[in-house]
Amino acid sequence: MTEILETDVLIVGGGPAGLAVSETLKGLDSILVHQDREIGKPVRTSGGSWRRDMQRLGIPEEMYQRIDQLDLYSDTQEVLVDVCDDPLVVLDITKLYKWLSARATSEIFCATKFLRAKKVEGGYLTTVRTAGEGEWQIKSRRIVDASGWHCAVLESLDLNTKPARHATGIEYEYKATGAQMHRAVLFFGAFALTGYGWAFPTNYGTMRLGVGVIRPDSDASPKDMMAALLASDQLERMGIPRPADEHVNAGTIPSVAYEKQLVYGDVIRVGDSANMATPTLGEGIRICIEQGRLLGEALSAGTPKALTCWERQATRKFVLNYKIGFWVNQAAAKYTKRNWERSLRRMGRMPGPELLAYFRSEFTAGMLLRRVCLLMWRKMKDAVWRG
């Protein structure tokens, strides 16, 4: 392809954020480039979310598995959480992303990798490479960086850098013979220090078993952690079927503090490029879809004010909760096995709705007050014990 394609908006990244931007773009020509050969494959996320968010976003029920029970495990303890009143879901990632792409208004180029961009008169000139066709160029008035934690567009234009701290994980997906298909598991401790592990059933009869760590807080290999888990008897203890003929998924998300700036003139970031995954559990598909759609509407308005308003509403929504959540994330990354035993006991005493709000990085004034009182009580006990 030797000609330069021209468009109003170039979207870099065909994940939920980029596809959601395209879904609500109106009155604008747009191109979306996606580095993988197919939308939704390979899978790079475990797909945990909440049913109420999927209903609010209009995601069809056939796109997810409902979860009514969440079981939490440390090395020696367990907490059973009934979530029937606020069900979790496990998303069929491939089906969901394809559904979003079918609603997109952009011309989509798969197997097309973003290489670099430069500012030119009237916008930006972006160079991409398509498998089998070589390099070609796109001229656009605006660029949306939905490239994920790489922040590819921002780095290329020297506007920002990809995060030094990130969470990375490995996941085995396999037929879930004998599994409870409405039960999910999160586990903490020896087999997932600085991160956590999970076992999620899907709506098409498989189990997703994964472990993740935070870099550079830990230099442990998720692959080695998975091997140690499989060599132990913990899966039997947690009631998780053992993998057989598994398919391996892997992914990376940023694990840094939320940054207020999303708009850099005519370059805008969204999704993982904008650190929108929750700092507590790192789940973010619902947030990527919501904010991507809002960004598409703001771009369609065609004014800088609309983009500024979108940026401000995101700041109001995320900055305080994510600041607290990131503090929790940093503290948990330093936990020992003993810390996790104590933490799970605390989780067991929390009301279900409060625990789920904690996982969603939605902290109320009451939750924070109780946390402050607990810390003060511990300091008093320590002072009495030392005195």
Side-chain angles (χ1 to χ4, degrees), residues 142 263 302-309:
R142 287 181 168 142
V263 180
T303 64
K305 182 179 179 180
L307 288 173
T308 300
C309 289

Side-chain angles (χ1 to χ4, degrees), residues 11-19 21 144-148 153 268-273:
I11 303 169
V12 178
L19 293 170
V21 171
V144 173
D145 189 344
S147 64
V153 177
I268 309 98
R269 59 174 172 163
V270 68
D272 284 348
S273 293

Side-chain angles (χ1 to χ4, degrees), residues 290-306:
E290 175 189 73
Q291 294 302 314
R293 287 175 174 174
L294 292 174
L295 173 56
E297 292 171 357
L299 287 166
S300 300
T303 64
K305 182 179 179 180

Side-chain angles (χ1 to χ4, degrees), residues 51-123:
R51 189 181 67 161
R52 58 179 151 124
D53 295 293
M54 296 302 104
Q55 291 176 331
R56 175 175 55 83
L57 294 168
I59 308 301
E61 288 188 8
E62 61 265 26
M63 302 289 171
Y64 52 80
Q65 172 69 38
R66 173 176 167 148
I67 302 297
D68 293 322
Q69 181 176 322
L70 175 64
D71 296 349
L72 312 177
Y73 287 86
S74 64
D75 295 336
T76 64
Q77 298 183 71
E78 62 180 293
V79 173
L80 310 183
V81 185
D82 185 343
V83 294
C84 287
D85 292 336
D86 189 10
L88 283 70
V89 297
V90 177
L91 297 163
D92 181 337
I93 298 299
T94 301
K95 182 180 281 189
L96 173 62
Y97 288 14
K98 287 184 180 297
W99 180 80
L100 289 170
S101 70
R103 297 160 61 91
T105 63
S106 307
E107 185 175 7
I108 297 177
F109 292 88
C110 287
T112 301
K113 182 178 177 61
F114 170 89
L115 296 179
R116 57 191 173 272
K118 64 178 180 179
K119 189 167 180 56
V120 296
E121 184 179 353

Side-chain angles (χ1 to χ4, degrees), residues 257-258 279 318-328 330 363:
Y258 181 76
F318 299 122
V319 70
L320 179 58
N321 279 328
Y322 276 37
K323 184 175 183 178
I324 298 167
F326 185 59
W327 175 82
V328 171
Q330 288 179 302
F363 301 94

Side-chain angles (χ1 to χ4, degrees), residues 260 262 307-317:
K260 296 180 182 180
L262 305 179
L307 288 173
T308 300
C309 289
W310 170 75
E311 185 180 55
R312 285 176 179 169
Q313 69 79 29
T315 296
R316 289 194 300 270
K317 186 177 182 68

Side-chain angles (χ1 to χ4, degrees), residues 352-383:
E354 184 173 308
L355 179 60
L356 294 182
Y358 175 88
F359 285 158
R360 287 171 64 93
S361 291
E362 295 174 355
F363 301 94
T364 65
M367 291 169 64
L368 298 178
L369 180 60
R370 282 189 288 275
R371 181 65 179 169
V372 170
C373 291
L374 178 62
L375 292 173
M376 292 178 64
W377 171 247
R378 283 183 186 159
K379 288 183 178 181
M380 289 174 60
K381 282 193 358 181
D382 290 344

Side-chain angles (χ1 to χ4, degrees), residues 46-345:
S46 58
S49 194
W50 271 261
R51 189 181 67 161
R52 58 179 151 124
D53 295 293
M54 296 302 104
Q55 291 176 331
R56 175 175 55 83
L57 294 168
I59 308 301
E61 288 188 8
E62 61 265 26
M63 302 289 171
Y64 52 80
Q65 172 69 38
R66 173 176 167 148
I67 302 297
D68 293 322
Q69 181 176 322
L70 175 64
D71 296 349
L72 312 177
Y73 287 86
S74 64
D75 295 336
T76 64
Q77 298 183 71
E78 62 180 293
V79 173
L80 310 183
V81 185
D82 185 343
V83 294
C84 287
D85 292 336
D86 189 10
L88 283 70
V89 297
V90 177
L91 297 163
D92 181 337
I93 298 299
T94 301
K95 182 180 281 189
L96 173 62
Y97 288 14
K98 287 184 180 297
W99 180 80
L100 289 170
S101 70
R103 297 160 61 91
T105 63
S106 307
E107 185 175 7
I108 297 177
F109 292 88
C110 287
T112 301
K113 182 178 177 61
F114 170 89
L115 296 179
R116 57 191 173 272
K118 64 178 180 179
K119 189 167 180 56
V120 296
E121 184 179 353
Y124 294 88
L125 188 64
T126 297
T127 303
V128 298
R129 181 175 62 241
T130 298
E133 296 185 8
E135 295 185 7
W136 52 286
Q137 293 180 314
I138 303 168
K139 185 178 180 182
S140 62
R141 188 163 59 90
R142 287 181 168 142
I143 306 180
V144 173
D145 189 344
S147 64
W149 76 280
H150 299 91
C151 301
V153 177
L154 296 180
E155 277 219 322
S156 176
L157 293 168
D158 293 324
L159 298 174
N160 209 321
T161 59
K162 66 182 178 182
R165 189 173 186 265
H166 55 273
T168 183
I170 188 172
E171 179 183 79
Y172 286 3
E173 185 165 352
Y174 52 96
K175 288 292 182 181
T177 306
Q180 300 176 46
M181 301 309 288
H182 293 278
R183 170 183 179 261
V185 172
L186 296 178
F187 55 92
F188 312 88
F191 298 101
L193 286 177
T194 82
Y196 68 95
W198 61 91
F200 293 165
T202 70
N203 61 339
Y204 49 90
T206 67
M207 180 68 67
R208 294 176 183 163
L209 173 66
V211 291
V213 297
I214 296 177
R215 306 250 192 243
D217 301 52
S218 171
D219 59 1
S221 160
K223 185 177 180 180
D224 292 343
M225 291 168 59
M226 179 68 81
L229 173 65
L230 297 180
S232 73
D233 60 358
Q234 290 297 306
L235 293 186
E236 287 74 17
R237 171 178 168 252
M238 295 186 290
I240 302 170
R242 284 192 167 270
D245 300 322
E246 67 272 6
H247 173 77
V248 180
N249 303 321
T252 300
I253 59 171
S255 189
V256 293
Y258 181 76
E259 296 179 1
K260 296 180 182 180
Q261 186 172 7
L262 305 179
V263 180
Y264 300 77
D266 288 320
V267 178
I268 309 98
R269 59 174 172 163
V270 68
D272 284 348
S273 293
N275 309 329
M276 286 182 173
T278 60
T280 43
L281 288 184
E283 58 92 17
I285 292 178
R286 59 186 171 93
I287 299 165
C288 289
I289 295 174
E290 175 189 73
Q291 294 302 314
R293 287 175 174 174
L294 292 174
L295 173 56
E297 292 171 357
L299 287 166
S300 300
T303 64
K305 182 179 179 180
L307 288 173
T308 300
C309 289
W310 170 75
E311 185 180 55
R312 285 176 179 169
Q313 69 79 29
T315 296
R316 289 194 300 270
K317 186 177 182 68
F318 299 122
V319 70
L320 179 58
N321 279 328
Y322 276 37
K323 184 175 183 178
I324 298 167
F326 185 59
W327 175 82
V328 171
N329 174 290
Q330 288 179 302
K334 299 175 183 176
Y335 273 14
T336 63
K337 290 185 286 185
R338 183 180 178 185
N339 291 138
W340 278 119
E341 298 297 331
R342 292 167 55 186
S343 181
L344 211 70
R345 284 196 293 270

